Amino acid sequence: MSSSEQSFKISIPDSALESLQKKLALATFPDELELDSDEERRKYGAPLAHVQRLVERWKTRTPDIANGSGMATDKEGFDWRRAEAKLNEDLSPMFTRDIEVEGFGTLNLHYVHRKSVKEVDGKGRKPVPLLFVHGWPGSVIEVRKILPLLTNPENEDDLPFHVVAPSLPGFGFSEAPKKKGFNLTQYAEIFNKLMLALGYNEYVTQGGDWGFYITRRMAQLYGHTHIKAWHTNYPGPGALEPTFTTQPLHYLQHLFTPYTATEKAALERSKWFSTQGMGYNIEQSTQPQTLGYSLADSPVGLLAWIYEKLVNWTDGYKWDDDEVLEWMSIYWLSRAGPAASLRIYYEVTQANQRQIPAREKPTIPMGWSRFPQELRSFPRTWTENVGNLVFDSEHPSGGHFAAHEEPEKLVGDLRRMFEKHW
Amino acid sequence: MSSTEVPFKISVSDDQLDLLRKKLDLVTFPDELENAGWRYGAPLSDIKRLVARWKDGYEWRAEEAKLNEELPQFTRDIEVKGHGTLNIHYVHKKSEVENAIPLLFVHGWPGSFIEVRKILPLLVQASPNGKFPSFHVVAFSLPGYGFSEAPRKPGFAIEQHAEVGHKLMLALGYNEYVTQGGDWGSAITRKIALKYGGKYSKAWHTNMASGVRPTFTSHPISYLQYLVRPFTAEDKAGYERTMWFQQEGRGYFMEQSTQPQTLGYSLADSPVGLLAWIYEKLVNWTDGYPWTDDEVLTWISIYQFSRAGPAANTRIYFEYMHSKDAAPGALAAGMPTIPMGVSRFPKELAVLPKSWMSHTYNNIVFVGEHASGGHFAAHEKPELLVGDLRKMFGKKGPVYGVVTGKTGYVRSKRGAERAKL
């Protein structure tokens, strides 16, 4: 059950922006070891010079509200009001609506919902309803670049989409759950209900990071009935190396198929991630509240915590400082605060939902886009254990935030996948 | 900076106190789930209460004065191979017993030199009837902790910490000494025993010696025993505690050993973030210890006002994990040979069967077992810990007289003769 939609625009109160500036004015930095290069510094975490530069940029004069517009002109430094206005434009139209989740009462969910510009494409095909699910430390901002490509393709023969992109509960402008135990089943439930409420009885999904886990759960629960096919750029966590006892034929194939250069590189990257890159994950999965005090109280701490990922998890993506701060601000200024977004790690780990046995994998068609700097990426034979893999592609560049780093490539893959499997 | 000793008193600047106050005035708290308790981390009501006290009521200047009164402190420069000179802060108190045993106490994380506070008077105390030995006590702040300078270059791992402790003892004129350590202090004193044991370090004691599980290839007999022998109630409780720590308690370790700088921004910029990060351990790692709010705040303040700032202390985790000492099998490969004593407390973080200690520790001559107490033994159970040290080093103990001429007792004629041997 869900009550009717309210139109939504991001509109952060001045008081929140002022309080942020007060904290930034007192920013206190740690020391750093004497190291010769950013590459060396990055081994220990986000480099000091970069964080300091970003914090300086984040400090701005207070918004000029005297002239009534709320918009400041000629500002040095990051201008949230300008970013806010652009986000409202780029992600329009946005909405909120109440959705009931069994055992958790009603949650107010924020989402982007943009319909295809055309009702049919040049080949007479109707737009495909697509649910896009972000992860951590992402947000709806990740749908920004692919939104126009999906809903308004230049080529009239390109398959169009209706796009729905919610903020996960506890992220962005969605309400956070108040009770313990909100795990993948609940995320799946709320998003399925959203699609149904929007009139999409049948739809497809795209997800990376937590979006992978959530859409995999959705595919298990609502595959065939509502979800016709699913696409992911992050199947790694579900990949299972075939063993002789569990999958003898698969195992033999795996034994005789040498790994490609891409697969070998992916294994190296995965090893880096599991040995050097999992600290945040383990803390968030075990003591999210403890970490939450830091992230809620210190914009500098939050900036570093997330910025490290924006750099380490992408493929040399040239982040603009304002782009980073915009991304960061969505966390700092989020409805529930930055601590709430950590709990998904805890709940899913506690519910033991990260791994599912191969026999429980969803059966609807699955598509996979492989980007070389993805965090966990495994050979094809392992990834076939994630789902009913009918489509996969490889790209020469791109990392974890595929929709943000390689929007055209991702959208191209979505078209190729869903043209056939929808 | 001086290679000779300089007396030291903690004197946090007004600016630092002022900045803390300003930050606390702007504090922003996270939300919390209903009925979360301790399951998700430090509870909101505890942290709010502590912050309220920190803002209003807690008197750092009074605590600072008490610390300065109770703990005679000094600094001196110590050179560390490959790392130049570091200015090291330490407590040094001699017993009135001239031949007291020189003891180096080494703290860990999230501890500090403050952990010597309660055991200090007991250790230096002269026994009225020669009932127990006395100690001269040295307790340094690890580089990057308390009021010691932090290392500037990468690679400052356990070996370097051991070098600091050892050189400090030599500089103080203690050519032969014994050590006591928990947490990082355990790894550091183990390294001291390995590198400087025999000639300099004569015996070592730790409250954190967990050992490793036997496998058939590593320790076949132990492994077979492990398979067939029923576990005692203590073993089972210890196992549960160990599993809890492995499954729920290692997040801080993983972050600190891989991305300490990233975490450091939070700890440096947010006093409440630092408070929560450490307070969670003070409660989870102890055995129902009745922390007072002011006690917690003093402990945290040492981090907040530390010389190197609140981020530097996390690097030891990174350096250790990236050193040879963390390689699989490293512990078993090099074991100290000098006599070792262990005190076992039920709420230590890894509590494995007693017999497994011999897989990674050699020459265990003393084991003290206790029915209560946790990770911060010197702070939680000072009498028990000191009691164990007195037993281990005392007249009837296994390493009596291990330090030449320094039995820990007022010298009798017999003692004087023994010392000549």
Side-chain angles (χ1 to χ4, degrees):
Chain A
M1 184 173 79
S2 61
S3 55
S4 61
E5 201 169 67
Q6 306 261 34
S7 159
F8 177 84
K9 280 207 186 306
I10 307 167
S11 181
I12 302 300
D14 285 332
S15 56
L17 300 180
E18 281 155 22
S19 134
L20 168 61
Q21 290 303 317
K22 285 195 184 125
K23 284 179 181 278
L24 291 174
L26 297 179
T28 308
F29 294 98
D31 67 330
E32 190 180 44
L33 291 178
E34 289 167 7
L35 295 160
D36 293 326
S37 66
D38 265 0
E39 196 189 325
E40 287 300 307
R41 288 179 206 109
R42 283 216 173 87
K43 288 182 181 162
Y44 287 82
L48 181 59
H50 293 281
V51 175
Q52 283 178 321
R53 188 192 69 246
L54 284 160
V55 169
E56 270 316 299
R57 181 87 189 150
W58 213 353
K59 292 180 187 174
T60 55
R61 294 194 296 272
T62 48
D64 181 4
I65 51 174
N67 70 8
S69 68
M71 302 279 288
T73 53
D74 261 318
K75 288 176 69 94
E76 287 174 29
F78 174 67
D79 182 346
W80 168 255
R81 290 294 181 212
R82 189 151 53 113
E84 186 181 66
K86 193 93 187 16
L87 276 168
N88 283 332
E89 194 185 302
D90 290 351
L91 297 177
S92 69
M94 291 192 285
F95 307 89
T96 59
R97 78 164 63 217
D98 288 339
I99 301 186
E100 195 161 318
V101 178
E102 212 181 304
F104 288 85
T106 297
L107 287 177
N108 190 252
L109 198 69
H110 158 252
Y111 54 97
V112 176
H113 178 204
R114 186 183 290 186
K115 290 179 105 76
S116 164
V117 166
K118 294 219 175 76
E119 283 190 17
V120 285
D121 72 358
K123 294 181 180 165
R125 299 176 297 190
K126 286 181 27 187
V128 178
L130 172 86
L131 172 73
F132 174 85
V133 185
H134 73 81
W136 187 96
S139 67
V140 288
I141 207 178
E142 292 180 80
V143 82
R144 182 186 216 162
K145 297 185 192 184
I146 60 173
L147 202 51
L149 303 174
L150 289 166
T151 58
N152 191 15
E154 273 180 22
N155 186 330
E156 64 161 12
D157 282 346
D158 280 348
L159 182 68
F161 294 82
H162 299 312
V163 177
V164 180
S167 288
L168 265 54
F171 290 67
F173 307 100
S174 287
E175 208 179 346
K178 296 193 176 33
K179 294 190 167 67
K180 298 181 286 212
F182 197 97
N183 62 45
L184 292 179
T185 305
Q186 283 69 47
Y187 288 98
E189 181 187 333
I190 200 172
F191 293 152
N192 184 54
K193 283 180 171 169
L194 174 65
M195 293 305 273
L196 299 183
L198 293 175
Y200 301 125
N201 199 53
E202 293 182 341
Y203 58 94
V204 300
T205 66
Q206 201 295 320
D209 197 84
W210 281 114
F212 158 71
Y213 289 95
I214 293 167
T215 55
R216 180 179 64 175
R217 189 80 185 104
M218 293 180 80
Q220 283 182 310
L221 293 171
Y222 313 113
H224 301 289
T225 46
H226 297 298
I227 305 176
K228 297 318 210 182
W230 63 306
H231 175 281
T232 181
N233 46 300
Y234 189 56
L240 294 170
E241 191 173 3
T243 64
F244 188 70
T245 40
T246 55
Q247 300 159 295
L249 287 178
H250 211 154
Y251 175 75
L252 289 170
Q253 179 205 358
H254 159 66
L255 211 50
F256 290 106
T257 313
Y259 292 149
T260 64
T262 304
E263 288 175 330
K264 282 188 197 141
L267 284 168
E268 277 301 308
R269 175 77 166 158
S270 302
K271 188 170 156 204
W272 166 81
F273 182 67
S274 65
T275 55
Q276 301 300 319
M278 282 285 286
Y280 80 99
N281 203 308
I282 309 292
E283 179 68 8
Q284 291 173 199
S285 299
T286 56
Q287 308 284 349
Q289 188 70 14
T290 294
L291 174 62
Y293 294 100
S294 292
L295 302 186
D297 187 55
S298 168
V300 178
L302 177 71
L303 167 65
W305 198 256
I306 293 180
Y307 175 64
E308 181 219 289
K309 306 310 178 202
L310 298 188
V311 174
N312 284 352
W313 292 6
T314 52
D315 190 4
Y317 180 79
K318 304 243 176 309
W319 291 97
D320 183 64
D321 283 355
D322 283 3
E323 199 178 359
V324 170
L325 293 173
E326 185 180 48
W327 192 287
M328 215 60 66
S329 294
I330 291 176
Y331 273 84
W332 183 257
L333 303 169
S334 60
R335 181 169 176 175
S341 69
L342 310 176
R343 283 174 204 133
I344 186 171
Y345 289 80
Y346 183 94
E347 302 297 4
V348 173
T349 306
Q350 288 292 321
N352 209 21
Q353 292 176 322
R354 284 185 190 249
Q355 294 284 11
I356 62 174
R359 65 175 183 279
E360 285 176 30
K361 70 185 185 188
T363 51
I364 55 171
M366 171 191 166
W368 170 31
S369 298
R370 186 206 279 276
F371 293 92
Q373 289 303 307
E374 182 53 275
L375 303 172
R376 268 191 267 195
S377 205
F378 297 102
R380 203 178 185 290
T381 50
W382 305 25
T383 311
E384 281 159 357
N385 283 320
V386 179
N388 176 16
L389 192 65
V390 302
F391 169 89
D392 69 300
S393 70
E394 263 179 41
H395 297 285
S397 61
H400 186 70
F401 300 106
H404 194 75
E405 294 175 72
E406 301 283 357
E408 283 95 359
K409 296 227 168 71
L410 185 68
V411 169
D413 283 355
L414 293 177
R415 291 213 151 93
R416 282 155 60 207
M417 160 83 184
F418 294 123
E419 264 168 2
K420 295 202 177 75
H421 303 281
W422 153 241
Chain B
M1 295 245 281
S2 168
S3 58
T4 56
E5 190 170 80
V6 176
F8 177 87
K9 283 212 185 298
I10 307 166
S11 182
V12 171
S13 73
D14 285 335
D15 280 349
Q16 280 181 289
L17 291 177
D18 195 50
L19 179 60
L20 172 63
R21 165 156 306 285
K22 287 195 174 111
K23 283 179 179 282
L24 291 178
D25 281 344
L26 294 180
V27 75
T28 309
F29 291 105
D31 67 332
E32 191 181 50
L33 294 178
E34 287 166 16
N35 304 311
W38 273 88
R39 283 177 52 189
Y40 291 73
L44 185 58
S45 57
D46 280 29
I47 299 299
K48 279 188 164 165
R49 190 192 70 242
L50 284 160
V51 168
R53 176 75 184 163
W54 209 358
K55 281 170 71 159
D56 194 11
Y58 176 74
E59 296 288 343
W60 167 256
R61 290 292 183 216
E63 298 308 319
E64 187 181 66
K66 268 191 238 161
L67 280 169
N68 285 333
E69 196 185 300
E70 287 171 37
L71 305 175
Q73 298 159 67
F74 309 86
T75 59
R76 74 162 69 217
D77 291 346
I78 303 275
E79 192 160 327
V80 180
K81 197 165 147 195
H83 289 268
T85 297
L86 291 176
N87 191 248
I88 301 299
H89 160 253
Y90 56 99
V91 174
H92 181 205
K93 188 159 185 173
K94 286 178 106 85
S95 169
E96 68 183 52
V97 174
E98 201 189 318
N99 297 313
I101 306 165
L103 176 114
L104 175 69
F105 174 83
V106 189
H107 74 82
W109 186 95
S112 68
F113 67 95
I114 206 181
E115 291 179 81
V116 82
R117 184 180 209 169
K118 296 188 193 182
I119 59 174
L120 188 62
L122 299 172
L123 288 169
V124 303
Q125 185 185 4
S127 162
N129 309 311
K131 282 251 157 46
F132 50 76
S134 308
F135 300 83
H136 300 313
V137 179
V138 180
F140 70 105
S141 289
L142 300 186
Y145 288 68
F147 304 101
S148 284
E149 214 179 341
R152 290 170 292 279
K153 294 189 171 48
F156 201 97
I158 304 309
E159 194 163 312
Q160 286 66 39
H161 285 85
E163 190 179 332
V164 171
H166 169 67
K167 283 182 168 169
L168 177 61
M169 292 307 268
L170 295 188
L172 292 173
Y174 299 127
N175 207 55
E176 290 183 9
Y177 56 86
V178 302
T179 64
Q180 202 293 321
D183 196 84
W184 284 116
S186 179
I188 293 166
T189 54
R190 185 183 196 278
K191 183 65 81 171
I192 289 177
L194 199 54
K195 280 194 77 172
Y196 310 110
K199 186 167 174 196
Y200 303 102
S201 176
K202 307 300 282 183
W204 66 299
H205 176 282
T206 182
N207 44 298
M208 194 174 94
S210 58
V212 293
R213 187 154 61 92
T215 63
F216 187 70
T217 39
S218 70
H219 297 93
I221 294 171
S222 210
Y223 178 71
L224 291 170
Q225 283 173 341
Y226 157 61
L227 287 183
V228 303
R229 195 186 60 133
F231 284 124
T232 64
E234 282 89 15
D235 283 343
K236 284 195 195 123
Y239 174 79
E240 289 200 9
R241 175 68 169 172
T242 308
M243 287 311 290
W244 164 80
F245 181 68
Q246 287 303 316
Q247 288 170 346
E248 310 286 338
R250 297 191 79 239
Y252 80 100
F253 186 100
M254 294 309 297
E255 181 66 8
Q256 290 175 199
S257 60
T258 57
Q259 309 284 346
Q261 187 70 17
T262 294
L263 173 65
Y265 295 97
S266 290
L267 301 181
D269 191 53
S270 170
V272 70
L274 176 70
L275 166 65
W277 196 255
I278 293 180
Y279 174 67
E280 182 221 288
K281 306 310 178 203
L282 298 188
V283 174
N284 281 348
W285 292 6
T286 51
D287 190 4
Y289 180 78
W291 293 96
T292 66
D293 286 353
D294 284 6
E295 202 176 357
V296 170
L297 292 171
T298 299
W299 194 288
I300 306 301
S301 293
I302 290 175
Y303 275 81
Q304 179 68 26
F305 300 131
S306 58
R307 181 171 176 173
N313 58 83
T314 55
R315 282 180 204 127
I316 187 173
Y317 287 83
F318 183 96
E319 301 299 355
Y320 164 73
M321 282 305 283
H322 290 80
S323 74
K324 294 192 305 282
D325 286 339
L331 279 184
M335 299 207 272
T337 52
I338 58 172
M340 174 191 184
V342 183
S343 295
R344 288 166 61 89
F345 294 92
K347 290 295 192 194
E348 183 50 273
L349 304 174
V351 186
L352 299 174
K354 208 169 29 160
S355 59
W356 294 4
M357 292 193 302
S358 62
H359 303 147
T360 48
Y361 298 99
N362 221 355
N363 200 5
I364 300 173
V365 301
F366 173 88
V367 180
E369 294 189 79
H370 303 285
S372 63
H375 184 70
F376 299 107
H379 194 77
E380 292 176 75
K381 302 287 173 187
E383 286 93 359
L384 293 181
L385 186 68
V386 173
D388 279 358
L389 291 171
R390 287 173 176 173
K391 283 197 197 101
M392 179 176 168
F393 290 100
K395 274 189 178 133
K396 295 186 188 141
V399 289
Y400 174 63
V402 74
V403 173
T404 315
K406 299 197 172 146
T407 61
Y409 295 86
V410 171
R411 190 175 290 192
S412 62
K413 255 173 67 182
R414 264 175 69 195
E417 292 193 0
R418 187 184 281 115
K420 286 199 196 110
L421 293 170

